[in-house]
Amino acid sequence: MIEQLRTQLKTLALLDAIIEPEWAFRYFSFDSHWSDEEEVGSLRDGSGGQWFLWIKGDLAGYKCLSPDDGCMPDLEVVLRETPEAYQSFIREPAFSMDQATCIWFIQNSDCVRYGLPVQFLIDLETVSQWKAGDYLEWARDYYERDFDLGGIEKIFRGEFSTELAQTLNPQINLKDLQADLLEIGIT
C-alpha cells in the first residue's frame, strides 16, 4: 500500500512539475529527501485545502485539512493517543496539526482512520486510484489547457524522458526541472 502511494504521488508531482514550473502554483508535490529517513507527498489547492502524506519505512501518516468539510472534533485526543512511531509525523510544524479534517495512520497495508469524511477536496484515497485519464481530466480543469493523454500515460507507466517533458510543456526549463526531479526522487 505504501509503495503504491509513494509511486502514485511521485507520478502526480512529476506531472505537476512538468506542467507548472512555479512550485507555488502546483497542486501536487513530493519530497523524497524530507529527512534521511522520511519522504513527504502533499496537495495544496490554493484555497486552504491541503494534505500531507508522511512516509518513513513501512509507516505512513496522512493529515488532511478540507475547510469545506470541517475539522474533526476529537483531534486533541487522537494526537495524544498517537503511537510513538508516528511522533515525528504529528510533531512536524509544516503539517499544521492544530486543525485537521482527518488523520490516518498506515502501517504496511493496514490503515487506521480518524476524523471526518472528505468530500470537497481531492483526497488521498481518490488520487491513489487515478489513472492517466483521471489526471488529464483534472489537469485540464485546474490548469485550463489541454495536454497529451499519451504523454501522461507514459509518465504513469514510469517512462519519463526530457523529450516527453518538452512534449507536455514546450516552454519547460529543463535545468529547473532537473532540480525538481532530484527532489521528487526521479532518476
Side-chain angles (χ1 to χ4, degrees):
M1 173 186 229
I2 292 174
E3 187 56 38
Q4 182 221 359
L5 291 172
R6 175 188 290 114
T7 300
Q8 185 79 337
L9 294 182
K10 282 183 166 188
T11 297
L12 299 175
L14 173 58
L15 283 162
D16 269 17
I18 293 168
I19 291 168
E20 176 51 66
E22 289 295 323
W23 185 87
F25 299 116
R26 295 180 195 160
Y27 217 78
F28 299 101
S29 62
F30 195 90
D31 187 344
S32 62
H33 309 287
W34 185 257
S35 78
D36 289 342
E37 299 177 331
E38 301 169 318
E39 301 171 283
V40 173
S42 64
L43 171 148
R44 293 175 323 281
D45 73 357
S47 299
Q50 62 183 0
W51 54 252
F52 303 92
L53 180 72
W54 165 87
I55 301 170
K56 182 178 181 183
D58 65 348
L59 302 176
Y62 170 70
K63 182 260 183 175
C64 176
L65 176 60
S66 174
D68 292 337
D69 288 304
C71 292
M72 53 190 288
D74 57 346
L75 177 61
E76 289 299 319
V77 173
V78 171
L79 294 178
R80 272 196 312 272
E81 296 176 2
T82 299
E84 183 62 35
Y86 295 92
Q87 289 301 309
S88 65
F89 164 61
I90 66 162
R91 290 193 174 128
E92 173 55 55
F95 302 155
S96 310
M97 286 297 189
D98 57 325
Q99 293 182 320
T101 302
C102 64
I103 293 180
W104 302 351
F105 299 104
I106 305 165
Q107 184 167 14
N108 297 313
S109 60
D110 297 323
C111 182
V112 178
R113 300 172 186 213
Y114 297 95
L116 306 172
V118 176
Q119 300 174 8
F120 299 105
L121 181 69
I122 301 169
D123 68 355
L124 182 64
E125 192 166 34
T126 299
V127 300
S128 72
Q129 302 302 313
W130 273 8
K131 305 292 184 222
D134 301 311
Y135 179 85
L136 175 63
E137 183 180 327
W138 170 83
R140 282 178 175 158
D141 182 57
Y142 184 73
Y143 292 112
E144 299 179 345
R145 58 187 198 261
D146 201 11
F147 303 98
D148 175 54
L149 176 59
I152 292 171
E153 287 173 337
K154 287 179 181 179
I155 297 289
F156 265 81
R157 289 193 303 262
E159 299 174 17
F160 172 77
S161 69
T162 56
E163 294 79 16
L164 180 54
Q166 290 172 314
T167 299
L168 290 169
N169 181 357
Q171 286 80 42
I172 190 85
N173 179 316
L174 294 176
K175 184 178 177 184
D176 291 344
L177 180 61
Q178 188 61 39
D180 290 325
L181 294 174
L182 291 172
E183 181 173 297
I184 296 167
I186 305 291
T187 55

